[in-house]
Each structure stands twice: as structure tokens, then as C-alpha cells.
Amino acid sequence: MSKTTPGSPKSPSAPRPPPPLGPLSSAQLRDLETHVYSATGRSLLEPLLQPCWTKLVEMVPRWVSPNAMTLTGLFLNSVTTFIMLCYSPQGLDEIPPWVLLLCTFGILSYQTLDAIDGKQARRLGCSSPLGELFDHGCDAISIVFVGVSTAVSVKLSTHPVLFFSCCFSGVLMFYFAQWQAYLTGTLHFWRVDVTEAQIAISFVFLISAVAGVSVWDTQVLGFPLKLIPGIVMMLGAIFTTPAYLSCLLSPDLHMKGVKSILAPLPTILVWFIIVVLTSLTPHLQEQPCLLVCILGFACAKLSQRLVVCHMSRSTMPCWDRVLLPPALLLVTCALPPTVPVLPLLFVSLRTCHEHQRATPSELSGVDNARTRLGTQTFPSSFFPVF
């Protein structure tokens, strides 16, 4: 949830040309300063959970920064996923019940803190565009961990296509949601959205903790139960995509030209091609979790770049250097299966990490931005955990 007060978006002006792969201009920073968060729609469970969230935020000390709450949620989610991967690095091993219970705690903690950090910001009167930007950055990273942990908790890596579909459907839908906000100025929430997905995933963790991960290998009508979570996530993406496409193709998009509407397409198209080619490579399938992290973090950077363009009313660049590390993995498609790919995967992950940390440099004069856009404590990186 964003830390800015919801309201009507400012009347959009003509989009500026794509910013260089570096600092934003003074005009873009001014637009970032005047950005007003706007959202529409409400999911099924949100009205039921709002009273709980309101009471919880009143229990939070006033000295706790909203950004600290956001970062704590991401930290818990990432650490619990890391512990799970220590026990099942390839998604094929049994996972102790206490680890799965810890993952349940991690995702529910993230979901709760993400819901109340905006309330805390409004309570303290420190809502800011930078707070919204930081919140979306943490969301983009957290979705990668949620996808990996869900697939590993049911040993879905025995079905590579479903494994990668389960992991990447969330990050792709997040990009589409930001694309829609980039075009319309408003973030749209559906009747079944991220809150429902996170609660459903927590039940998957609980089932695995109580009955064991192997329970998902049980055959029902000739099919293992593990297919259910993967298929449900795929169907969610399939049914949601037409809604996003209808927005992209809507004739009412008078605020941006055709070039601007399609500007976010090249980067995500290149990313998708890399995902398809690498995920179909047999020797890369031996390290599915590491591969998902590399490609997922790259998409998270693209999503955050799109958020920056939306908030600064700029045109999305057609290329981002964060695509270079995943593109290195295409080299492995031509390598013999006997060549170890683990070192190359780690190099790609490390390089992708460096490009993630380069994101704040795109906000020129960030010290001035802190003063103008909000006084909250703002880390030196949008992705400080990595």
C-alpha cells in the first residue's frame, strides 16, 4: 500500500522523452514532487481486514518510520524464503515444518506491514512520493520471493514449465499493473488481488507444514496435487491479462500518444524472450530457484523503472541495462550439458544485483529530493537488502 494520500491524479501533460540511463532532470523531479497517489477498486477481503489494519497501526509507536515497516516486511519475507532454499535449493527436498511455519509468518507479516505502512505515514503526516516509490520497489522484490517459496513448498520443480509459470506470473502481472498505472495515472485493484493471493499462499505453507511437502505428490484422478497451486496462479494471470490488455487498447487513453503507450513493451518483451529461452534449457533447469531469482530481480528493476516514469510523467526507455545479466544466460543455451552453469548463474545474479543498486542514481539530487518530496528516512538504495 502506498504512503501517499489517495486522490485524483494530476492532469497529465505530454510525456517527456525517455530519460537517459542516469539522473532525472529537474523537470522530472518537479513532476515527481507533485505526484499524487491514485488507486481504484477494492478486493474481496480488504473490507474485512481494514478494521484489523486500523487497530494494528494504532499499536505501532509513532517513532517507527513507515519505510522501516515496509523494509521490515521485505526483510522477513526474504529471510524466511532464504531459509527454505537452504533446505531445498533445487525445490526437490523435504522442508522441516518449522521452516514452512516461519514462511507463513513471513508472508503474513509482509502482507500486514505492507497494508499498514501507508496508514502509519498518514498518521504521522509524512506521506511522500518517495515513500510510494520505495513501497513499490519492495513489492517488486517481494513478489519474486513469494513465487519461489510457493513453488518450492509444493516441490513444483519436478514440472519445470509449471514451476517457472508459477514464479513468473506474479512478477509479470505486477509489471502489467504498473503499465496500466503508467497510462491511466491510477493503480487498479481487482476483486481477487494480491491480498487474496498472499492469504491463499499462507494456507499452502500451512498444509505443507502439517502434512509434509510430499503430500502434494498424492495422486488425485491421475494428477498430483502439486499441480493445483501452479495451475491456479497461471489461471489468475490468464484471466487478469485481458483486463490489462483492454486498458492498453482502450480508445479513451487520450493522455498519452501511441508511442508512449507501447514504450514499456520492448523491455518486457526482451525479458520474456530471455525467460522462455533460458527456462527451456535443460541444464539451467537444474538450478531453477537461482534462475528465477536472476530473472525475477531483473523484472523487478524494470517494474521500478516504470514506476519512476509514471510518477515523473516520463516515457519509459526502450532498453535497460539490467537485461544484460539475464542475457548472459543465453550463452548457456549453446554450451554442452557437461559445462557447469552454477558459476555463470552466480555471476549473473551478482551483476543483476549491482544494476539493482544503481537505481537510486536515476534520482538526481536525491538529497534535495528528500527535502522536497518528504522527510522520511530513505535508504540509499531502493533494494538495500541485496
Side-chain angles (χ1 to χ4, degrees):
M1 230 182 226
S2 172
K3 304 178 188 62
T4 50
T5 305
S8 300
K10 198 177 179 182
S11 193
S13 53
R16 295 186 177 85
L21 296 179
L24 294 181
S25 66
S26 299
Q28 290 165 333
L29 279 175
R30 283 195 300 270
D31 284 335
L32 189 64
E33 177 185 3
T34 58
H35 169 78
V36 177
Y37 175 71
S38 176
T40 184
R42 178 174 290 187
S43 65
L44 291 172
L45 296 179
E46 186 176 346
L48 301 176
L49 295 174
Q50 280 291 352
C52 300
W53 294 336
T54 301
K55 290 184 179 180
L56 282 173
V57 76
E58 292 173 355
M59 299 169 61
V60 178
R62 298 183 68 88
W63 50 265
V64 176
S65 166
N67 283 340
M69 296 169 64
T70 306
L71 190 57
T72 300
L74 174 61
F75 175 78
L76 291 173
N77 200 19
S78 59
V79 167
T80 53
T81 301
F82 177 76
I83 295 174
M84 176 187 285
L85 294 180
C86 287
Y87 282 92
S88 183
Q90 295 175 320
L92 297 172
D93 304 315
E94 284 291 330
I95 303 171
W98 68 268
V99 174
L100 291 161
L101 292 175
L102 203 61
C103 287
T104 306
F105 170 77
I107 192 171
L108 291 179
S109 297
Y110 175 81
Q111 189 265 336
T112 302
L113 290 171
D114 189 47
I116 67 175
D117 55 2
K119 296 180 183 296
Q120 176 75 346
R122 290 186 286 273
R123 178 187 177 204
L124 302 179
C126 59
S127 301
S128 71
L130 279 182
E132 179 185 347
L133 195 58
F134 183 68
D135 184 272
H136 288 318
C138 290
D139 288 341
I141 287 292
S142 183
I143 289 173
V144 180
F145 290 123
V146 170
V148 172
S149 59
T150 303
V152 171
S153 67
V154 298
K155 296 207 296 191
L156 199 57
S157 55
T158 55
H159 297 72
V161 174
L162 268 182
F163 181 90
F164 291 115
S165 299
C166 176
C167 293
F168 292 132
S169 59
V171 296
L172 199 57
M173 290 304 100
F174 184 82
Y175 186 89
F176 283 159
Q178 300 306 324
W179 191 349
Q180 187 177 36
Y182 166 81
L183 295 177
T184 65
T186 301
L187 192 62
H188 296 259
F189 293 97
W190 310 106
R191 296 298 289 168
V192 178
D193 213 283
V194 63
T195 300
E196 288 73 17
Q198 290 171 338
I199 292 178
I201 291 170
S202 67
F203 278 107
V204 171
F205 291 158
L206 287 175
I207 293 172
S208 297
V210 173
V213 176
S214 296
V215 72
W216 298 100
D217 291 322
T218 304
Q219 298 284 326
V220 176
L221 300 177
F223 298 97
L225 288 175
K226 68 173 66 177
L227 299 184
I228 295 177
I231 292 175
V232 167
M233 293 191 73
M234 283 184 60
L235 290 177
I238 291 172
F239 286 123
T240 306
T241 300
Y244 290 124
L245 291 178
S246 65
C247 170
L248 301 181
L249 301 176
S250 172
D252 297 331
L253 286 178
H254 53 81
M255 57 179 60
K256 295 179 182 285
V258 174
K259 181 179 178 180
S260 182
I261 292 174
L262 299 180
L265 179 61
T267 52
I268 198 63
L269 186 60
V270 171
W271 176 86
F272 183 76
I273 293 173
I274 293 174
V275 166
V276 172
L277 293 178
T278 54
S279 60
L280 293 179
T281 305
H283 43 295
L284 284 179
Q285 293 176 0
E286 298 174 2
Q287 301 291 338
C289 300
L290 191 56
L291 180 60
V292 166
C293 288
I294 295 170
L295 299 174
F297 292 159
C299 190
K301 166 66 187 302
L302 297 179
S303 297
Q304 183 68 348
R305 181 97 188 200
L306 187 54
V307 173
V308 172
C309 291
H310 161 223
M311 297 177 65
S312 62
R313 290 191 280 281
S314 307
T315 302
M316 178 72 174
C318 294
W319 172 256
D320 195 292
R321 59 187 178 181
V322 79
L323 292 170
L324 289 176
L328 288 175
L329 297 180
L330 294 178
V331 178
T332 62
C333 298
L335 294 178
T338 54
V339 176
V341 297
L342 194 59
L344 183 58
L345 286 172
F346 275 112
V347 169
S348 297
L349 182 62
R350 178 59 182 170
T351 311
C352 188
H353 166 217
E354 291 302 322
H355 288 312
Q356 293 275 19
R357 294 184 65 86
T359 304
S361 67
E362 295 164 6
L363 292 178
S364 175
V366 70
D367 291 330
N368 293 333
R370 284 180 183 171
T371 303
R372 299 206 313 265
L373 304 182
T375 57
Q376 301 179 58
T377 302
F378 193 74
S380 60
S381 171
F382 290 124
F383 306 102
V385 176
F386 308 98

